[in-house]
Amino acid sequence: MASNVLDSMGGFASALIYSRQHVSPKRLIAPGPNPLQKAEILNAAGAAPDHGKITPWHFYEVSLESRHLLGNFFADALIERDPAATPSQIEEAKQKAFRGPLLLLATAKLNSDLDTIPEQEKIISAGCAIQNILLMSNALGFGSGLSSGKALYSEKMRRLFSLPDSEEPLCFITIGTISTHKPNKQRPDSSSYSSIF
């Protein structure tokens, strides 16, 4: 009986992991997760490996009101990088803040004054928390995608989100309903990234 349960869990885990794919925020539309589903997605992050139980990551949900601020920031960041940007390019940059019904900023909390956990472990823990969010989103029937860009790592972005010096932005996570499906890309075989020591 226990073997059957483990077999079914293994099959479910395999299906969940291999069916997950990156979905461009352009293809993520409403409806997004309801409040209970959103809580389930965020709670999944808490199951990530966390040496020292310090929760070295944080997720900021970008509210509908704050998306206007983020959109203006994206537009200003583009103009700063490229003063010759066209009005359509500036508008496209601004619209990035409005893609997908649920938008999260993931950060890593790297303050080494409060503990002895190496920064590498904290970043790995944050990555696992992000993956748990992606997998739970997939399990609930939603698509998800990660995005970054030069603006993400700017000092102005830190000020926009009021990030302390010890907190580093990692990526945005967009979650929603997939508008158009694309076939999964070929996954690399383990022989290309593993070896015996």
Side-chain angles (χ1 to χ4, degrees):
M1 180 68 173
S3 176
N4 290 339
V5 171
L6 290 176
D7 287 345
S8 63
M9 288 179 63
F12 174 74
S14 180
L16 184 63
I17 290 168
Y18 287 105
S19 64
R20 187 212 66 79
Q21 60 179 316
H22 169 80
V23 182
S24 168
K26 290 181 179 180
R27 295 192 290 121
L28 294 172
I29 61 174
N34 63 38
L36 289 177
Q37 291 170 322
K38 183 168 65 176
E40 196 169 358
I41 288 169
L42 289 171
N43 281 328
D50 179 10
H51 183 198
K53 303 301 179 187
I54 57 174
T55 317
W57 25 261
H58 195 90
F59 297 96
Y60 297 86
E61 180 180 353
V62 184
S63 67
L64 292 177
E65 297 80 8
S66 295
R67 291 201 187 209
H68 292 282
L69 296 174
L70 184 60
N72 289 334
F73 166 77
F74 284 151
D76 292 342
L78 173 61
I79 294 170
E80 195 172 294
R81 290 196 311 272
D82 182 11
T86 65
S88 62
Q89 290 172 325
I90 295 170
E91 182 60 25
E92 183 179 358
K94 183 180 292 187
Q95 288 305 313
K96 288 180 180 179
F98 297 91
R99 293 173 183 163
L102 178 59
L103 179 62
L104 305 170
L105 171 66
T107 67
K109 294 156 60 178
L110 304 178
N111 192 341
S112 299
D113 297 333
L114 302 178
D115 55 69
T116 59
I117 309 300
E119 286 190 357
Q120 292 93 329
E121 287 192 27
K122 295 175 181 178
I123 294 172
I124 290 169
S125 179
C128 292
I130 291 169
Q131 178 74 341
N132 281 0
I133 281 179
L134 301 180
L135 291 176
M136 183 58 75
S137 298
N138 188 31
L140 294 174
F142 296 105
S144 60
L146 306 183
S147 56
S148 57
K150 293 180 181 179
L152 176 64
Y153 309 111
S154 70
E155 186 59 36
K156 290 181 179 179
M157 174 68 80
R158 302 183 64 84
R159 291 200 298 269
L160 180 65
F161 281 85
S162 300
L163 300 182
D165 292 341
S166 59
E167 198 166 341
E168 295 295 330
L170 297 176
C171 63
F172 284 105
I173 307 171
T174 307
I175 300 169
T177 298
I178 302 175
S179 61
T180 54
H181 289 263
K182 294 184 178 180
N184 276 355
K185 293 182 179 179
Q186 182 67 38
R187 308 284 186 178
D189 185 84
S190 63
S191 61
S192 67
Y193 57 78
S194 66
S195 57
I196 297 174
F197 174 68

